[in-house]
Amino acid sequence: LTVLPKAAVVRTERARTRGSAGGGVPRGSPQRALTFTAAARVVSKEHGEVLSTMEATLLPPAGKAADPYACIGTKNAKHVQNCLELYMNDRGIDYLPEGVFERFIDLKYLWLMRNNLAKLENLDENFRLHCLYLSKNRLTTFVDSSLAKLKNLEELHASDNQLTDLHEHIEVLKKLRRLKRLDLKGNPLAHETKYRLHVIKHMPWLEELDLVTVTDAERAKARRVTRPTFDATQPPPPQLTEEERRAAAERERERAEKAERRAARALAPIKRRVLEKRILLRPHWAEDDRRKRGLISRAKFEQVLRIYALWPERDRDVKALVATYAAGDDDMEYVRFCKDVEPRGHRGRDPYIRELLEAEANARPCPEVSVCMRMALNKAAKIRRRRAEAEEAAKLALLGQGPAVAAEPGAPVRGTARPPCDVFTQFVYPEA
């Protein structure tokens, strides 16, 4: 503005004052930027050369700007600062203007799907964002964008865009240590060789990639994947036949099973001792993991295990343990190690502990008849014996050979035994 004449400056300031005083447009909004643009166009009739310089520096890009104030009902400062969600889907947005989202300091959820965004910018101050939805836009890259500043981001949905160069974007995405769910399907980079394994290798803390849960088997396989290198002077490698591919897949499967067996053999004594001594390992490492990355240096990892006499003695067990939980050159995944080793609350919940309990129960001699069955058989035998005695007494009473009874209290006991007689005599002559 110092280049313009004094009258032009006065008219420009007057136009800015009119645009902001009467309408109550918040500072930094697109309407206010367009008001200043209109004032500059008034000056352009007299000073066309100066306006070309101003348009290059002050005028907003061509297209529709995002207006978050239009998405909220109350447009006062308190409501803007406490706003947590902004739903801006299907609004034809071409760019995010500078200084518009700075006042939304507590923003955590931002929807920008199905717009025309070509670059993610001017969101540096919204570092409290947890979820960002950018699907079905025109994004071409995340390099030199505001994404690297969103350290608290947990979900990023950027499917159906135009993102290319997988490894260039991995360098940006792996800085987001809190990211749990990532969706990049529908982009050209998702069609690169071993795309999923490369992403999991550099971001093992992901729980979900392209709406599919990341498993421990994929993490173990991703640790062995390498970035391909191409040499234009060398001829392309020969194509494998179907039988050769099946044989290679079989060898890979056998190698993975062998690595799992070695890891299980190395962890067995550690699990047993942790269970017997009730050792808690995670607090020792969590003190040094201030950023909650789930990683610890190998020296600290080995130091704590040696304190509790848990470090394997054989070299092959040490190699298997390090290969299973290594994350990079000098880091170990202590959180996953503790999940595999420490009991998870209830005794029967951990598979390894359950196997130990079953083996201990099976080691005892198993009786042919259980205790409950033996009690039932004894009770049934008593019932049969009682019934047999009752039947025998009934037979003796029927034949007149019952036991002696007393007729009245104090009267002499007389025998009730009668001489043998037939049934007809007993009923016809009962006193005989």
Side-chain angles (χ1 to χ4, degrees), residues 139-159:
L139 297 172
T140 57
T141 182
F142 283 145
V143 180
D144 298 332
S145 67
S146 299
L147 186 63
K149 303 295 181 63
L150 308 179
K151 300 296 184 179
N152 295 313
L153 200 63
E154 297 180 359
E155 292 189 26
L156 175 60
H157 299 267
S159 60

Side-chain angles (χ1 to χ4, degrees), residues 106-118:
D106 286 338
L107 191 62
K108 294 186 178 180
Y109 305 93
L110 179 59
W111 281 269
L112 292 168
M113 296 191 298
R114 296 183 294 277
N115 287 295
N116 301 320
L117 292 176

Side-chain angles (χ1 to χ4, degrees), residues 203-218:
M203 305 173 68
W205 54 86
L206 282 179
E207 298 179 0
E208 191 176 282
L209 176 59
D210 294 345
L211 306 181
V212 179
T213 304
V214 179
T215 62
D216 292 337
E218 286 181 318

